[in-house]
Amino acid sequence: MHADDQATPPHAPTTPAPDADGWPGGAAGQRDSGEEAAQEDDLARLAATVERLRRQADRARREAAGHALIELAKGVLLERLQCGPAQAAEQLATLAGKAGVSRLEVAADIVNEVARDRIGAAGESDPEVSVRLRAAESAALGARDTQVVAVALLEHALTPLGATAVAVWAAEPGAALSLAGYAGFGPEEARRWRHVPPGVITPAGRSLTERRMIWHADAGLPAIGRLVAGGGRVTVPMTMAGRMLGVLEICWPHALPPHPPRLERQIEAMAELCAHTLDAPFAPLTPSAPALSEVVDLADTLPDPALVLQAHLDARGEPADFRIRHVNERIAGGDGLLLEAYPLVPGGLLLEAYPRAAGGLFTRLLQVHATGRPFRAERMTLGMSPTGVADVSLTRHGDSVLMVWRDHDEDARLAGLLADAQRLGRIGGFEESAVTGQITWNAQLYSLYGMTPGDRPIPLERLRDHAHPDDEIAIGRFLRTVLHHRRFAAVAFRLVRHDGVTRHMRVVAEPAFGPEGRLMAVRGAYQDISSQHWTEVALAVTRDQLADTEERSAASNRLALQLQQAIMPPSHGTMESLGLHIAVRYRPAQKEDLVGGDWYDAVALPSRRVLLSVGDVAGHGVEAATGMVILRNALRGLATTGAGPAQIMDWLNQVAHHLADRMTATAVCALYDPPSRVLRWARAGHLPPILLRDGSGSELPMVKGPLLGAFTDARYEEGRLQLRAEDTLLMYTDGLIERRDHNLRHAQDQLLTIARRSATTLDHRLDDLLIHCNSDTDDDTCLIGVHLS
């Protein structure tokens, strides 16, 4: 050791002399404070060292990704210029110098020109974006697993965009998700979200099911991480060859503009990059896909017809058809398949062999192939089965789809319908053979008698033994007619069961004869009419009580009917000269003593325009009906002035506020001009009309307009619509769709779905809406339909 090494460094602290206790510094307080200061200095130096090493490691990773991109570009130049590595490097530097940009930007441009992929397209107009995406790609290609790819993606491509976290989800069978890689989330959060089972709705699960990019605000769905107030996230499917391999989820601490196209292209490029990491040899968290031979073996073990299909891709790499890889023995033997019309053979394409699959079946195949979510349907239309109807099952196994169907047995279906009808009607059937004496009961008859199927059936001739004594005479006549005179007969009686329960029954029976007139059997049925009997008893008991009020009730009903007929105009049929067919429907509330406040109107004005309106006065009863008459008649009168719908609504609001005892109501007023086919309309707190055109339907834009009678200074906007031939316009009150268990938006969406169905006539369409729009608020309903010829 050198002498200099033994000397005290000039800046080293000098150790004080020990005190009486042998401790330096002479005092315990000085000892403690000196040690704490030394420990704090050591921790600070350690933290600084760790931070410095972390920055060096980050810089090394970024430089490695950039170096990989530059080497890739040099390889392209080697091939293009037919030169050596040194000349390629020199050429890259020369290009960068001439352009005044970095070698990384030139390298990214060279790779983009050669690759012509989605990553290049995403960064086409922004060199900085191109460099980030290519750097992320280089880091991903050199990664060991998807976790490293997620970290590289956040570091190279997402952090510059302001994102703070990313999750890479791998799709599993049944639309489950597993966390294959993440960055920006804590280890404990990642552990909690390592697996999302099927049926749990998450942002990533929505993208997997709906097969599209979705921008999310904090909508309350369970999700990895928690959005800060105003934060947002985006989820995008990761696909390869038409299969959904997983979902890429990116989180921001701030709200994002809705669907920015430039950012969407970058995110789609990142999703494509991650999709490659979920394909072999990556994705260690996903179960290994079964080989084709295993799926074939599975199909051969099934007792039903089965096909093994694999996607046939088009030039863009998307499924255009499904190639038949295997048919099981049930098909090969001609069982359950119309082979003459549809020769499904291995190696052929499904749509070529079975063109009608291009509809619903092919759509389901695409969904199962893409998402892995199984599909099952009962009584699906399927031309490959003898009856045309089958129970179908579709499941994905690796890159194959197994299709299994079971022909729907019509006899079994009818037997099932009969059994259900007997159960619902509480009917039990029987047959007694006159040749062998054997008695056959169905399960429902055992239940009516309070017996089990293992018990011995009771012969018809022993019916008296199980009936109430007061019914013996009626039963005797019934048995004599059937068993002696051999004619059809029926009787009502009280069945006394062995458990002491008495049920009111009705039995019918008839003899069955052979070819030579010989009695072969007696067949019949029992029906439990207890509920009907007690209903009749209750009606008999209350008949006297109702007699006193019958006349008043009849008068009240006549008044309600007269009010409804006075308020509601009849169906207008066809306005030939105006080219319109108009149909209307009114459905009163179930409580007949409550007259509703709904109205509709359709009338040709002196100006040759057509007034169309619907409205709903708040409340029920005579007051609501009176207010309805005032507003409807006022609306008719105001429409004759030639004013537009918005002005008419303004005047009608004054009527409701000042002249009609401050009632409130909703309404829609529309004026149709036949020569120009222009519809002008306004609304006052009412649901907008629906336009049906070319097989689709949508609500008209929601123009502004408050309730009638709510404000004195209300202002109403006017909408304008150019109608065409074969258009249909629907106007309705909320009693058509209101439900207590769903919000109004859900009910409107359901109404649109029903309205889009095809209908032979306008009247059939309105009847279909009344039947299938299952409102449950017991409110009256008005509905008007207008069809342009």
Side-chain angles (χ1 to χ4, degrees), residues 4 71 133 143 258 353 381 449 502 586 628 640 663 682-683:
D4 292 342
E71 292 299 317
L133 293 177
T381 301
Y449 264 87
T502 299
Y586 174 69
M628 181 204 312
T640 62
M663 73 174 65
R683 55 177 289 273

Side-chain angles (χ1 to χ4, degrees), residues 52-311:
R52 176 173 54 80
L53 293 175
R54 186 189 65 79
R55 289 196 299 269
Q56 291 177 354
D58 291 344
R59 185 167 58 253
R61 282 197 298 270
R62 288 193 296 270
E63 291 176 353
H67 179 73
L69 180 57
I70 290 174
E71 292 299 317
L72 185 60
K74 287 164 61 177
V76 173
L77 292 176
L78 281 171
E79 191 275 333
R80 290 290 179 89
L81 302 178
Q82 298 295 310
C83 63
Q87 289 83 358
E90 182 180 351
Q91 180 66 18
L92 186 64
T94 301
L95 292 173
K98 289 181 178 180
V101 296
S102 66
R103 291 195 304 161
L104 270 178
E105 292 184 44
V106 175
D109 286 342
I110 293 173
V111 174
N112 289 342
E113 179 65 25
V114 175
R116 298 185 181 275
D117 56 3
R118 184 171 290 180
I119 294 178
E124 186 175 7
S125 59
D126 192 334
E128 183 180 349
V129 171
S130 180
V131 170
R132 288 203 308 265
L133 293 177
R134 287 301 179 191
E137 180 186 38
S138 299
L141 292 175
R144 300 183 307 274
D145 54 29
T146 308
Q147 173 61 32
V148 178
V149 172
V151 174
L153 198 64
L154 180 63
E155 177 182 351
H156 291 283
L158 293 174
T159 299
L161 296 177
T164 54
V166 61
V168 181
W169 301 95
E172 293 186 349
L177 292 170
S178 63
L179 188 61
Y182 67 93
F185 302 111
E188 180 60 25
E189 181 75 3
R191 185 192 65 78
R192 290 175 52 241
W193 285 91
R194 66 184 183 277
H195 178 73
V196 180
V200 177
I201 302 177
T202 64
R206 280 192 59 197
S207 276
L208 183 69
T209 302
E210 300 177 23
R211 303 168 62 191
R212 63 185 179 94
M213 179 187 296
I214 303 177
W215 297 83
H216 307 267
D218 190 0
L221 292 178
I224 185 171
R226 288 190 175 274
L227 289 179
V228 298
R233 70 176 73 210
V234 63
T235 54
V236 57
M238 299 183 295
T239 62
M240 283 191 67
R243 288 190 301 128
M244 303 280 282
L245 300 182
V247 178
L248 176 64
E249 182 170 357
I250 307 170
C251 300
W252 279 267
H254 54 79
L256 295 172
H259 308 287
R262 179 180 171 187
L263 183 58
E264 283 193 353
R265 288 194 298 270
Q266 297 180 45
I267 292 172
E268 288 172 349
M270 297 178 207
E272 182 174 306
L273 176 60
C274 290
H276 288 281
T277 71
L278 291 178
D279 202 11
F282 293 92
L285 296 180
T286 58
S288 59
L292 177 62
S293 60
E294 298 179 20
V295 184
V296 168
D297 291 342
L298 174 62
D300 286 339
T301 62
L302 298 175
D304 299 310
L307 293 175
V308 178
L309 306 170
Q310 286 185 329

Side-chain angles (χ1 to χ4, degrees), residues 16 23 57 163 182 193 268 336 357 463 487 506 521 543 556 602 616 743:
W23 292 95
Y182 67 93
W193 285 91
E268 288 172 349
L463 185 58
R487 296 197 303 266
R506 174 178 171 82
R543 188 172 291 113
S556 176
D616 184 2
N743 58 34

